[in-house]
Amino acid sequence: RQGLFRVDAAGGTPEPFTQLDRGEVTHRWPQVLPGGAVLFTAHNGGQGFDNATIAVYSPQTGKRQTLVQGGSYGRYLASGHILYMHEGTLFAVPFDLKRLAVSGKAVPAVEGVITDGDTGTAQYSFSEAGTLLYVAGHSIGTVYEMQWLEHDGKTTSLRSALATYNAPQFSPDGTRLALQFSEAAKAPDIYVYEWKRDTMTRLTFAPESDNNPVWTPDGRWIAYNSSRAGGNGNIYWSHSDGTGEAQRLTESEQSQSPGGWHPSGKFLAFIQADAKTALDIWILPMEGDEKSGWKPGKPYVFLNSPFAEMWPSFSPDGRWLAYSSNETGRNEVYVRPFPSGAGKWQISNDGGQHATWSRNGKELFFRGNVAGEIMVADYKVTADSFQADKPRLWAKAELEIQYQRNFALHPDGKRFAILKNPLNQAAEKIDKVVRVENFFDELHRIAPSEGK
């Protein structure tokens, strides 16, 4: 989680160059413009790069300006245009280099340019003479097969169809998986997979990004991050059977994503981004019940610091909250009492993410940071003290080290659903590069500056 850095051309210590704005988690893909200003992509992390921001920062004035809201991988051309990607289409907008501001309307320039939804990159480049090169195709991301993982490390297919799945979580009864699923050139949606019947049912239909699903303890609702109201993405929930309309639970300028429900169903622990304190853990109290109706209360901070606290998860008895923090310089798993938060115990000793409690009240699982293995720590509680044993290897999974969750513990506590890309496949075959001559002339025709 960081802005851009700069370093002297002769070498030396990197120093901060840009500061993250409210809700942002990364600045990337910089381009130094004539005159010294820098063009870059700002991303909030809670949604796809199609909802990122193209911005420019001038070190001379110390000012930052937003050029495009809703795009990534911006590039300046000598024709006086900014190019950027949105939903697989290359857009162009006139740009005034002196004012560092757009000077006309954005228009689609080329459809079907391959972009990577995981990183925000795009497969296009250009020459100073006005020639464009791009790779034709749909947006891609890493594709996975859903597999069962047993304690002995053996895997069997859970769903063989390769797709861009992410963030799986089992329903409380273990019959369904909620997960994030992305179709080509589209923002992710929430789906529910009934694994015994091998059926995938789409739960959300907004054109904007919906991700990171989390089941309520009774299995009736699924909470998730959504950017459907614009901005950085807040928390919504929908009935898990698809009935009714999505309901908004939080409203903030900050990016928010659900982490885990208290077993009572009365509290939702979630992550909130903050420019000053990185990622923080907040609590959303819920009032009412299923019969009378639910009403979200006022969210409050549970844990914030200069470090990133992520992916909170409540214990089966609701007395403890596990989470990850990078306070030591790498992500480790910790446990704090709930609701007080007073005191903490470090669980992992060689890196850890995405703490997951077993229902037996004796084991805390997590993903290792090095080889992506599944680790487990046995624990017991004495009065108000949490006592965990040294973590041990549960199974060699070799999961990809990524921000989002890529494994889910079945409620029986004996197996995991994991997302693996065993063949390192891409979503489609890439075998063609398109060359466009005199591209600058085309840009002047379709995207003229205002007044020209």
Side-chain angles (χ1 to χ4, degrees):
R1 188 180 186 282
Q2 60 186 18
L4 298 176
F5 284 73
R6 65 179 175 184
V7 64
D8 192 279
T13 302
E15 58 183 27
F17 185 67
T18 62
Q19 297 294 322
L20 296 176
D21 205 348
R22 179 174 294 179
E24 294 174 351
V25 298
T26 180
H27 292 167
R28 58 180 63 191
W29 316 128
Q31 179 191 15
V32 180
L33 306 181
V38 174
L39 187 73
F40 63 94
T41 298
H43 185 224
N44 63 41
Q47 51 190 304
F49 279 92
D50 285 326
N51 294 296
T53 299
I54 308 297
V56 62
Y57 172 74
S58 170
Q60 287 82 13
T61 64
K63 293 183 179 180
R64 166 183 164 176
Q65 298 186 69
T66 296
L67 304 180
V68 174
Q69 185 67 54
S72 68
Y73 206 69
R75 286 295 180 263
Y76 169 77
L77 275 65
S79 62
H81 293 84
I82 297 291
L83 298 184
Y84 65 92
M85 293 301 305
H86 180 76
E87 293 187 353
T89 295
L90 185 64
F91 281 78
V93 61
F95 179 70
D96 188 324
L97 186 61
K98 291 183 179 179
R99 295 191 300 116
L100 296 180
V102 297
S103 56
K105 296 182 179 180
V107 298
V110 180
E111 294 184 356
V113 178
I114 284 184
T115 56
D116 189 335
D118 294 336
T119 63
T121 54
Q123 299 299 317
Y124 75 89
S125 189
F126 50 87
S127 73
E128 292 300 315
T131 298
L132 170 71
L133 291 178
Y134 70 92
V135 181
H138 298 292
S139 297
I140 64 171
T142 305
V143 293
Y144 301 100
E145 176 188 353
M146 285 191 233
Q147 298 178 350
W148 288 113
L149 174 69
E150 305 291 341
H151 190 9
D152 58 7
K154 290 183 179 180
T155 58
T156 55
S157 179
L158 174 55
R159 190 169 197 258
S160 59
L162 295 177
T164 52
Y165 311 115
N166 229 322
Q169 189 181 69
F170 277 105
S171 60
D173 64 5
T175 62
R176 295 171 290 170
L177 270 169
L179 46 84
Q180 176 183 322
F181 176 72
S182 304
E183 295 185 86
K186 294 183 180 180
D189 280 293
I190 306 302
Y191 281 70
V192 175
Y193 177 56
E194 294 184 63
W195 56 273
K196 288 186 177 181
R197 298 176 56 236
D198 192 26
T199 57
M200 286 273 288
T201 303
R202 186 174 177 179
L203 187 68
T204 63
F205 292 86
E208 296 83 9
S209 173
D210 296 321
N211 52 52
N212 292 323
V214 178
W215 294 87
T216 55
D218 61 7
R220 293 175 180 267
W221 297 84
I222 297 176
Y224 50 91
N225 165 278
S226 179
S227 58
R228 64 187 61 199
N232 293 317
N234 293 155
I235 299 173
Y236 289 70
W237 72 352
S238 298
H239 276 113
S240 61
D241 61 5
T243 60
E245 300 293 327
Q247 299 179 27
R248 190 170 187 174
L249 298 182
T250 64
E251 188 168 348
S252 173
E253 295 181 0
Q254 307 280 29
S255 176
Q256 302 168 322
S257 193
W261 287 94
H262 191 270
S264 68
K266 296 290 187 178
F267 304 96
L268 172 65
F270 66 92
I271 309 165
Q272 179 167 301
D274 187 278
K276 295 182 179 179
T277 57
L279 298 175
D280 304 321
I281 295 175
W282 285 60
I283 302 295
L284 173 67
M286 296 293 293
E287 302 169 358
D289 54 40
E290 194 64 30
K291 185 177 181 179
S292 64
W294 292 100
K295 181 181 178 181
K298 183 178 180 180
Y300 62 89
V301 177
F302 177 78
L303 181 60
N304 64 347
S305 75
F307 309 103
E309 291 89 25
M310 302 166 287
W311 307 125
S313 176
F314 284 106
S315 62
D317 62 4
R319 293 183 58 196
W320 312 96
L321 189 72
Y323 64 96
S324 296
S325 172
N326 64 355
E327 62 185 77
T328 65
R330 66 181 178 188
N331 290 319
E332 299 282 5
V333 173
Y334 298 85
V335 167
R336 284 181 181 264
F338 182 83
S340 72
K344 67 177 179 181
W345 294 266
Q346 182 173 330
I347 308 303
S348 59
N349 56 14
D350 194 25
Q353 275 262 55
H354 297 291
T356 302
W357 301 86
S358 173
R359 286 188 178 181
N360 64 16
K362 299 178 180 179
E363 297 171 313
L364 181 58
F365 295 88
F366 58 91
R367 188 193 67 204
N369 275 358
V370 180
E373 66 276 10
I374 301 292
M375 304 294 293
V376 64
D378 297 322
Y379 72 88
K380 62 181 179 180
V381 175
T382 303
D384 294 329
S385 178
F386 190 91
Q387 301 172 6
D389 293 343
K390 181 179 179 181
R392 52 187 169 82
L393 178 67
W394 189 85
K396 291 184 178 180
E398 297 180 351
L399 297 171
E400 292 184 4
I401 306 303
Q402 60 182 36
Y403 177 68
Q404 288 185 298
R405 186 175 62 248
N406 52 8
F407 66 99
L409 178 65
H410 191 272
D412 65 15
K414 299 178 180 179
R415 51 186 170 162
F416 283 85
I418 62 172
L419 303 180
K420 291 295 292 288
N421 183 8
L423 301 179
N424 195 28
Q425 298 183 46
E428 63 175 292
K429 185 178 181 180
I430 302 172
D431 58 2
K432 183 172 64 175
V433 176
V434 179
R435 175 172 174 165
V436 181
E437 300 285 354
N438 302 316
F439 185 59
F440 287 0
D441 293 340
E442 175 68 3
L443 289 178
H444 288 305
R445 183 186 70 82
I446 66 174
S449 297
E450 293 176 352
K452 294 186 179 180

